[in-house]
Amino acid sequence: MYDVIVVGGGAAGFYGAIQIAEANPNLKVAIFERGKTVLGKVKVSGGGRCNVTHAEFNPSVLVNNYPRGKKELLGPFHTHCTGDVMQFFEERGIPLKIEEDGRVFPVSNSSQSIIDCFLSEAERLNIKVLRNYQVKSFCSSDEIENGWMVTTKNKHYHCQKMLMTTGSNPKIWGQLKTLGHSIVPAVPSLFTFNIDDKRIKSIPGVSTMAHVEVLPKKQYDSKITIQLKSGVKQEPLMASEGPILVTHWGLSGPAILKLSAWGAKTLHELNYNFRVVVNWLPEYTTGSLTGLFMEVKEVEAKKTVFKTKAVDMPRRLWYNLVRAAGIATDLRWGDATKIQLQNLAEQLTRCSFKVEGKSTFKEEFVTAGGVDLKEINFKTFESKKLSNIYFAGEIINVDAITGGFNFQNAWTGAYIAAQAITADF
């Protein structure tokens, strides 16, 4: 018998259990974790440093980082936001720091600090942490009025309330569907684009600011440059601007990850086969860059195009794009034709790549999908379909771009659910 069973030993599960036990120390609380270890995602987050949250303290601005859940999270963020989370950890002896891009990490630069904090708090508050406790099923309890019976491999447990923090677990979603919930099918979010193209294949590690567009299907053919020159330009499916990183597999970095989050469903429907156009110099158009090159042609006439980088961009990228424009390594600026300079400007501002597949961003596997948001009361995070079941974290159809925002959703949901749970005892 437990008062509260938390299903899932991740970030939301521990944060919720601790908040429940703090609010009412008399409650018997247990965390059921199906694996051998707890807090797996916390361990790998932020490259092993744990990107705890993001230093955006205005809820109205914070919600703009959530492709799914933007409207629903506004109220909850007014209740429990970034500052509250930072205070939680700092009060427990985990000093945090804000990096230049707004991401928040423990000063220790180790996710183990966060894990140790959760485990010591769970022990201090007498929260039972049960590993290898996979929940096989749950149904109405015959021993507790309006309560729940949770079945593991070889035992039945009864509780008054359940907090579900199982992330993207298809079996739990299946159980909830059987009990009447609608589940939005899960698709990957936060992934990098696989591109096999000699223009970038030899330069992994190169990073720069860029503007990236995902093209609609009708623009997938090789005639795109002809279309553009004749003035026929259709709107891209989606666009993003920011740092872009060349990897061994293709393209990554914040600008790409943002597209993968906002376009999670669209890109899934395209089976991760689509075309992107990259402007490596967002401050220029093809026309304005051609104009600049015509001026450089006059001023640097005797220098070679290949060795004289006329714009601010990584040198290795410049070399590859000059070659891709069909310009010989010994061609001088003064001898370059207008067509050659237009081709170079095209490579720099309308660089088209074919994307064939995706790769998970580091170890951070995030999905779009889950319990339908219309079936959750966001004042309490309780199910509207089932009494005494609450949700927090990625089990619901909320996901965010990279930068600590997915954790913030987990912390906020777990806190509000905890307050609602303890208010009834």
Side-chain angles (χ1 to χ4, degrees):
M1 286 279 191
Y2 288 101
D3 294 303
V4 184
I5 289 177
V6 178
V7 185
F14 269 84
Y15 198 77
I18 290 164
Q19 298 286 357
I20 290 164
E22 286 246 281
N24 187 340
N26 297 319
L27 295 181
K28 201 175 172 190
V29 182
I31 296 172
F32 285 19
E33 166 55 43
R34 64 176 173 164
K36 290 178 186 174
T37 57
V38 292
L39 299 161
K41 266 197 177 180
V42 170
K43 190 167 184 64
V44 299
S45 157
R49 296 196 297 145
C50 189
N51 185 184
V52 175
T53 184
H54 200 94
E56 176 49 70
F57 302 96
N58 181 343
S60 303
V61 178
L62 183 59
V63 292
N64 292 327
N65 297 287
Y66 295 83
R68 283 146 291 273
K70 176 180 175 178
K71 178 174 59 116
E72 290 81 3
L73 288 175
L74 183 58
F77 283 158
H78 276 286
T79 300
H80 194 75
C81 203
T82 314
D84 302 300
V85 171
M86 292 178 74
Q87 185 180 344
F88 171 89
F89 287 110
E90 290 182 337
E91 282 178 351
R92 287 160 179 78
I94 311 294
L96 303 174
K97 59 177 177 177
I98 301 170
E99 299 202 339
E100 268 185 41
D101 59 4
R103 291 183 302 163
V104 177
F105 292 93
V107 170
S108 67
N109 275 329
S110 172
S111 55
Q112 197 60 44
S113 300
I114 304 298
I115 293 168
D116 291 344
C117 169
F118 280 145
L119 292 174
S120 64
E121 282 295 279
E123 190 176 351
R124 178 179 73 84
L125 295 162
N126 296 316
I127 297 164
K128 266 261 206 272
V129 180
L130 302 168
R131 297 168 177 83
N132 290 317
Y133 267 59
Q134 184 173 1
V135 171
K136 297 288 187 185
S137 64
F138 46 94
C139 60
S140 296
S141 170
D142 52 6
E143 295 192 24
I144 301 176
E145 190 181 349
N146 295 323
W148 289 92
M149 182 175 78
V150 179
T151 303
T152 61
K153 190 176 180 181
N154 46 22
K155 251 186 176 181
H156 299 302
Y157 298 85
H158 297 265
C159 64
Q160 186 64 58
K161 294 174 184 288
M162 272 205 298
L163 174 57
M164 309 293 292
T165 61
T166 48
S168 46
N169 183 324
K171 287 182 179 173
I172 296 295
W173 279 334
Q175 281 277 312
L176 289 166
K177 198 170 183 179
T178 304
L179 293 170
H181 261 293
S182 305
I183 305 297
V184 178
V187 297
S189 180
L190 288 191
F191 49 84
T192 61
F193 294 174
N194 292 357
I195 298 168
D196 185 6
D197 191 295
K198 63 183 179 183
R199 288 170 294 179
I200 58 172
K201 203 169 182 67
S202 63
I203 55 169
V206 163
S207 178
T208 186
M209 289 291 289
H211 179 87
V212 190
E213 295 179 353
V214 175
L215 299 185
K217 263 189 173 175
K218 51 196 164 190
Q219 283 194 22
Y220 283 9
D221 58 41
S222 58
K223 295 176 184 171
I224 178 165
T225 51
I226 298 166
Q227 289 178 342
L228 288 167
K229 284 173 185 171
S230 64
V232 181
K233 184 186 175 186
Q234 289 154 326
E235 287 300 307
L237 282 174
M238 61 197 82
S240 173
E241 195 165 306
I244 189 170
L245 173 68
V246 179
T247 72
H248 290 285
W249 297 274
L251 293 177
S252 184
I256 298 295
L257 294 169
K258 204 177 283 186
L259 286 174
S260 76
W262 288 96
K265 290 188 176 178
T266 303
L267 300 181
H268 177 75
E269 286 162 11
L270 294 172
N271 200 27
Y272 308 105
N273 281 273
F274 53 95
R275 194 167 281 279
V276 293
V277 168
V278 179
N279 183 347
W280 300 102
L281 300 163
E283 64 272 29
Y284 290 100
T285 62
T286 307
S288 67
L289 191 58
T290 303
L292 173 70
F293 288 162
M294 294 303 287
E295 290 175 22
V296 176
K297 175 181 163 78
E298 299 299 321
V299 178
E300 305 283 11
K302 292 183 179 178
K303 294 182 179 176
T304 64
V305 177
F306 188 73
K307 287 191 177 172
T308 309
K309 186 164 63 83
V311 287
D312 182 21
M313 70 186 310
R315 189 166 293 280
R316 289 193 295 159
L317 180 61
W318 169 265
Y319 288 160
N320 281 9
L321 296 180
V322 169
R323 287 192 192 99
I327 292 173
T329 54
D330 60 353
L331 181 74
R332 299 181 186 206
W333 278 99
D335 298 328
T337 65
K338 187 175 182 182
I339 294 292
Q340 286 175 313
L341 297 181
Q342 279 179 334
N343 287 342
L344 178 55
E346 187 86 25
Q347 285 292 337
L348 293 168
T349 61
R350 298 288 303 172
C351 197
S352 177
F353 293 104
K354 191 177 181 187
V355 177
E356 295 179 292
K358 59 173 176 57
S359 294
T360 302
F361 173 61
K362 296 182 180 174
E363 297 87 5
E364 297 185 32
F365 185 71
V366 173
T367 56
V371 178
D372 195 314
L373 303 184
K374 293 194 280 294
E375 299 174 358
I376 299 165
N377 175 357
F378 279 91
K379 289 181 179 173
T380 59
F381 279 75
E382 185 177 10
S383 163
K384 288 180 180 177
K385 297 274 186 180
L386 307 164
S387 62
N388 292 331
I389 281 191
Y390 299 76
F391 304 112
E394 218 183 312
I395 188 172
I396 66 177
N397 186 26
V398 168
D399 63 286
I401 63 173
T402 185
F405 302 106
N406 282 298
F407 272 145
Q408 186 57 51
N409 164 52
W411 312 136
T412 295
Y415 174 84
I416 291 173
Q419 303 313 301
I421 287 167
T422 53
D424 282 351
F425 280 100

